[in-house]
Amino acid sequence: MSTFLIDLTRAFRRLLQRPSFTVAAVLTLALGIGANTAAFSLMDRLLLSSFPFREPERIVTLYEWDATKGQDGRFNLSAPNFQDIRQASTQYESMTAINRTMANLSGSGEPAQVEVARVSASFFPMLGAKPLLGRGFTEAEDQTGAPRVAVLSYPGWQRSFGGDPGVIGKTLILNGESHQIVGVLGPDFRVPFAFNIDNPTLFRPIAFSAGELQFRNRHNARTFARLKPGASRASAETELKGILAHLASQYPNDQQGRTGRITSMVDEVSDMMGAQMYMLQGVVLFVMLIACVNVASLMLANGLGRQREMATRVALGAARSQLMTQLLTESALLGLFGFLGALIIGKTLMAGFPALLPANYADIITLGMNGRALGVCFASSILAVLVFGLLPAWKVSRIDPAAALKTGAKGSAGREHHRLRRVLVVFEVALASCLLITAGLLLRSLAKGNQAPLGFEPRPLQTAAFRLVATQYPTPESAQAFMEQVTQKLGTLPGVKAAALTTNLPQSMGGNIGYDVEGQLLPNKNQHMAIPRWITPGYFSAMGIRLLQGRAFTRLDPDSVCIVSDNLAQKHWPGQDPLGKRLSLEGPNGPWLAVVGLAGWTRQYAPGRPVDPEIYVPFHTGGRIQFAYLTLRVDGQPQAVVPALRRAFRELDPNLALANVWSGAELLGSNEVGPKIIVKITAGFSALALLLAGLGIYGVMSLLVEFRTREIGVRMALGARVRDVLRLVLTDGLNMVALGLSLGLLGGYGLGHAIASQLYGVTPADPATFVIAASSLALVALLSTLIPAHRAATVNPVVALRDE
Amino acid sequence: MTPLIHLESIKKVFTTDEIETHALADIHLDIKEGEFLSIAGPSGCGKSTLLSILGLLDTPTDGTYILNKKPASGLKLSERARIRNREIGFIFQSFNLIGDLTVFENVELPLVYRGMSVGERRARAMGVLEEVGMSHRAKHLPSQLSGGQQQRVAVARALAGRPSVLLADEPTGNLDSTNGEAVMDLLKDLHQRGSTICMVTHDTRFTAFAERTVHLFDGRIVSEEEAAKNHVP
């Protein structure tokens, strides 16, 4: 048997012989590594899954960019620009567009509103995605008038066709039109990009219509391209700017002042979630470090008890490298057990994540221990072994054998170990307090955000979305007539106080539109941006939005009126009466819409982000509107009206499906889910850090008491009372905690400033957060120190003095 | 005849803070191959420090140490470990058997560090256990043995590597008189079969087992006594 195998089998036996040490170390490691793995899986699912593509570093996103508007000046390409740029560019292997929308799916059981992605024929090949069944699209299919075909996503295949392997060649009805299924994608396929947590149910060719190709100011073609080998992002961007400059000279009305920008996948993720991602990684690192410090501390204690054994081994001729190998083998074995425990804990935590999500998302995110998570778990274990194993192994292997054989654990080496363990506790407390402060700031920020004015009353409110089947409502009149029926019927439902329709809800990430203000035209054909909403007359009542001036719409309003939000009025007509002022949604030459009312602003995004101006237009002037949200102000619980709502819709149109049937609270919960989840995870990790820090303090104090048993015996023999001993031990423990806490508060202050951009309504030095964090840690530290202190105070001096 | 161990002007000074403690001063000592030497003296006289230096567990502050015709000063840690493993066998007062290992595993440990093959280790370890009369306890843990039995195992472990010299630090210190005498009989027997033994003891009953006794006091050799005659250096 080789020396390594001997070390391994003896290390295994040794761990079995010390169940309490082994369980403490393995549990701590499993918690640290398991939490790390679960957090990684979540990040992987939410963010990194954007990259399961062939050579993702060569995939870029193309934007038009209005440099005068900074980050807000970034737009997707318009359909005609996409075609022109694709034709003129030389830097790409292929370029592809995607446009996501909702549609009614029928022909496979109950009709349903599903998300559909229209994509170029080159979409799947460019990403390197190979369908699980069938094929992708051909160029011929990506033309107007081509036979209608569809590719199902894996979840779409499972949901709508029960995973039927014979689905290829079957037909489905999308918005009343028959489509032949030509392919099914694999389970790992993800649509770029990045924080979309669900795939569309199905894909169909984008085949831009002649109508779409008319408008260069409708930025509805999200564009991805694969760089040619040798092409760089910089060279592609230079080319894009050149093409757009040429387009600007050709189409000055739409393209004047527009340039181009190209971003990589990493840039995109970083823009969207960078801060949160780094924060989560930081939090995970802290917890891992605390766990490692705890285990290192345990290993040092364990090593301390083995001073004499190590000295004997040295006397028998063991080289330092042999001792190091033996101790590292033990650490590695602990790491292996920790890894196995982490798999269980990681899986359990992953199963618990949906509880953190709003109910309407909980069934979408399913996390599993995939290969990447397993890799991270394993790598974390190795890292942990190196962090917690090396220092104790190095320390123990450097013992002075002559001294250790003479004094055993209670010699100078013991004192040195205790010094090191004290340093580790200080470090651990500092880390835990940093984490607590960060979590506290984020939680308080979230709470403040939840209390922030939304501009509408989310309770009790019920909302839902629906899309008309185009073939059933082919004209503006038929569509409007149906919408009118919907409003009428819903208004009479029991429990409904007000019902209305809108094309866009607050808190639902709708798009912006350019507008011009009479008498305030921007140079170079630039436009102001606002959120447009086509609304029925009862919208403000149904949503609980304040009408500050003027009037709401009536069904008799012409198409030349609008209502604006107060922030828009303040921007353009400060100190003036906005009523009667005019603006245009279709360019500087009108037609002009006269302002007839002034409404309070509503919040589209999370607190802390700018509130966009809003322009409301009468719904009935919007022509053939096919997609709408309904909003119902109700009495009592919003969910109570849902059955009647569904029934009413079935009576109105049995082919029509409702989507996003959300109460006002669910609507709020669905907005910017990612950052909220991360705040909750940070809070959970902080609680874990607090627990681990408590265990660490307890471990060190217990050992220190054991080390000082004889001293305590002497003190008691000399007349020390119980309270004197208690004070002695508590002072010792709390001094360490106070030092760690001081460092942690300083660190927390620094971290608070680092995450200041993520905070709303809370300053990085928020006194309440600091007080709560410090008191929580002090309380845990006190409890962790009290038990060893009590043990010390009940030492029998006779036994203690004999015990040498 | 060249002595197995030659110490010349050995000095050991411990420095803590600003206090210097002279543990050993001007030690001259030769130990011949096959000799049984006893080092005696009161507590704190430097006996154990001298034994640590002899066993390469510690280094002298000054002086020359020749072991088996090779200078033992200025060696690298790994070289010292190798010499300890091959040339020296330790027997401790408190046995220092490793509690997690069986009797057999304790005895084979120096051979494991030497990188010996399994078969050879097994034969050698069982052989020395036979020699000390403990082979029937090979699978037991140290905690299952009496003090005397543990010390026999410790002697077997010291013998397993077939060292040039056995260094015994108060080998009877933790044993009752019966077991103490049994262990001394074992050492005497080993000496008669050719082993070189250097034993530290302050028990005058057992110095008589040695051919020669050196007396230490305040870190210096104050007298040397051969069996049956006294000699003052």
Side-chain angles (χ1 to χ4, degrees), chain A residues 573-774:
Chain A
W573 310 296
Q576 299 175 46
D577 183 354
L579 300 185
K581 303 283 194 224
R582 300 203 307 169
L583 48 81
S584 165
L585 300 179
E586 294 180 46
N589 300 320
W592 297 99
L593 311 176
V595 176
V596 296
L598 184 71
W601 54 261
T602 61
R603 197 180 289 284
Q604 194 72 359
Y605 303 108
R609 293 179 61 179
V611 177
D612 289 336
E614 294 147 298
I615 300 171
Y616 299 95
V617 187
F619 196 96
H620 63 267
T621 66
R624 193 176 161 224
I625 296 174
Q626 289 180 284
F627 180 80
Y629 290 95
L630 58 91
T631 67
L632 305 175
R633 173 68 44 187
V634 300
D635 268 332
Q637 286 299 316
Q639 288 80 2
V641 303
V642 172
L645 173 65
R646 289 191 187 280
R647 220 170 19 249
F649 259 82
R650 269 200 299 277
E651 287 164 17
L652 285 165
D653 183 345
N655 292 324
L656 206 128
L658 286 176
N660 300 355
V661 184
W662 293 345
S663 68
E666 287 171 328
L667 176 68
L668 295 182
S670 66
N671 193 24
E672 304 198 25
V673 175
K676 288 176 186 167
I677 294 172
I678 287 173
V679 170
K680 290 178 182 176
I681 291 175
T682 306
F685 274 33
S686 305
L688 183 61
L690 193 62
L691 174 74
L692 290 175
L695 285 174
I697 296 165
Y698 171 77
V700 169
M701 288 314 298
S702 296
L703 199 86
L704 287 179
V705 164
E706 193 183 315
F707 184 66
R708 295 177 75 177
T709 301
R710 185 176 163 79
E711 175 204 327
I712 291 165
V714 172
R715 283 174 184 269
M716 292 178 93
L718 294 176
R721 292 157 297 179
V722 166
R723 69 163 181 266
D724 296 322
V725 176
L726 272 176
R727 193 184 315 126
L728 177 79
V729 177
L730 282 176
T731 308
D732 193 18
L734 295 182
N735 275 344
M736 280 190 287
V737 173
L739 182 59
L741 202 53
S742 311
L743 294 173
L745 292 180
L746 278 177
Y749 182 74
L751 278 176
H753 277 88
I755 59 162
S757 64
Q758 308 295 311
L759 301 178
Y760 170 77
V762 178
T763 64
D766 180 48
T769 303
F770 276 68
V771 168
I772 292 169

Side-chain angles (χ1 to χ4, degrees), chain A residues 108-158:
Chain A
S108 58
E110 281 283 301
Q113 275 273 310
V114 295
E115 189 173 353
V116 176
R118 296 165 61 204
V119 297
S120 307
S122 57
F123 184 71
F124 300 120
M126 190 208 76
L127 297 174
K130 291 190 172 51
L132 183 68
L133 299 175
R135 59 173 176 85
F137 301 126
T138 64
E139 285 296 337
E141 286 164 343
D142 188 11
Q143 307 292 331
T144 46
R148 294 190 184 92
V149 289
V151 168
L152 290 168
S153 71
Y154 188 85
W157 180 47
Q158 295 293 323

Side-chain angles (χ1 to χ4, degrees), chain A residues 188-494:
Chain A
D188 290 335
F189 179 79
R190 297 274 180 277
V191 168
F193 214 80
F195 196 51
N196 290 313
I197 53 180
D198 196 15
N199 265 322
T201 296
L202 58 89
F203 298 79
R204 65 186 185 89
I206 199 161
F208 288 119
S209 67
E212 285 173 307
L213 291 169
Q214 274 179 13
F215 296 102
R216 287 185 189 269
N217 60 353
R218 291 191 183 165
H219 303 279
N220 55 359
R222 185 150 173 73
T223 306
F224 302 106
R226 177 175 289 280
L227 290 170
K228 274 182 179 167
S232 69
R233 198 166 52 135
S235 64
E237 190 164 284
T238 306
E239 184 188 67
L240 177 66
K241 285 176 175 167
I243 297 169
L244 282 166
H246 179 66
L247 289 174
S249 66
Q250 278 186 295
Y251 310 101
N253 277 355
D254 296 313
Q255 294 298 130
Q256 191 68 45
R258 291 286 163 83
T259 179
R261 176 177 268 192
I262 286 184
T263 60
S264 68
M265 291 238 167
V266 174
D267 292 339
E268 293 274 325
V269 169
S270 195
D271 281 355
M272 254 184 287
M273 289 286 294
Q276 282 93 355
M277 202 167 79
Y278 290 131
M279 200 163 66
L280 187 55
Q281 281 173 340
V283 165
V284 164
L285 184 71
F286 269 42
V287 172
M288 270 285 287
L289 268 178
I290 292 172
C292 287
V293 165
N294 261 4
V295 180
S297 191
L298 280 170
M299 295 290 284
L300 275 174
N302 186 41
L304 188 61
R306 298 173 69 183
Q307 292 272 308
R308 194 181 283 275
E309 176 201 329
M310 289 299 144
T312 305
R313 288 177 183 271
V314 170
L316 295 178
R320 182 179 293 179
S321 59
Q322 286 173 311
L323 291 189
M324 286 276 284
T325 308
Q326 183 202 340
L327 291 167
L328 281 176
T329 306
E330 287 174 20
S331 299
L333 205 56
L334 268 184
L336 179 68
F337 288 144
F339 166 73
L340 295 174
L343 290 181
I344 298 167
I345 286 180
K347 254 190 120 145
T348 312
L349 287 174
M350 284 180 210
F353 271 142
L356 294 173
L357 300 171
N360 41 338
Y361 279 84
D363 62 337
I364 295 174
I365 290 187
T366 48
L367 298 176
M369 191 65 81
N370 61 19
R372 282 189 297 277
L374 209 62
V376 165
C377 189
F378 190 67
S380 308
S381 307
I382 291 177
L383 184 72
V385 168
L386 289 177
V387 173
F388 76 74
L390 266 182
L391 178 69
W394 181 76
K395 290 292 301 175
V396 171
S397 70
R398 284 176 59 86
I399 55 164
D400 173 357
L405 284 168
K406 225 181 286 174
T407 59
K410 312 208 172 180
S412 59
R415 277 190 294 278
E416 196 188 333
H417 271 224
H418 287 305
R419 257 199 307 276
L420 190 59
R421 280 166 60 92
R422 281 170 196 271
V423 170
L424 288 178
V425 164
V426 169
F427 182 56
E428 182 172 42
V429 170
L431 284 177
S433 43
C434 279
L435 205 51
L436 276 179
I437 288 165
T438 308
L441 288 173
L442 289 171
L443 280 174
R444 278 181 51 79
S445 168
L446 187 65
K448 291 260 182 185
N450 287 339
Q451 292 160 7
L454 294 162
F456 68 96
E457 183 46 63
R459 292 179 185 84
L461 178 72
Q462 181 63 46
T463 69
F466 64 95
R467 176 177 292 278
L468 302 184
V469 176
T471 48
Q472 274 183 265
Y473 306 93
T475 62
E477 292 75 21
S478 58
Q480 284 291 341
F482 179 77
M483 296 292 189
E484 177 66 23
Q485 279 181 8
V486 170
T487 329
Q488 298 278 344
K489 183 151 188 135
L490 297 184
T492 61
L493 289 180

Side-chain angles (χ1 to χ4, degrees), chain B residues 92-103:
Chain B
F92 303 100
Q93 176 180 351
S94 48
F95 327 132
N96 284 346
L97 295 178
I98 294 170
D100 294 330
L101 306 183
T102 62
V103 163

Side-chain angles (χ1 to χ4, degrees), chain A residues 1 10 13-14 313-314, chain B residues 84 100 105 108 113 118:
Chain A
M1 204 189 295
R10 290 186 185 163
R13 204 167 66 194
R14 188 176 165 77
R313 288 177 183 271
V314 170
Chain B
R84 271 197 304 272
D100 294 330
E105 288 166 342
E108 71 159 359
Y113 290 135
V118 180

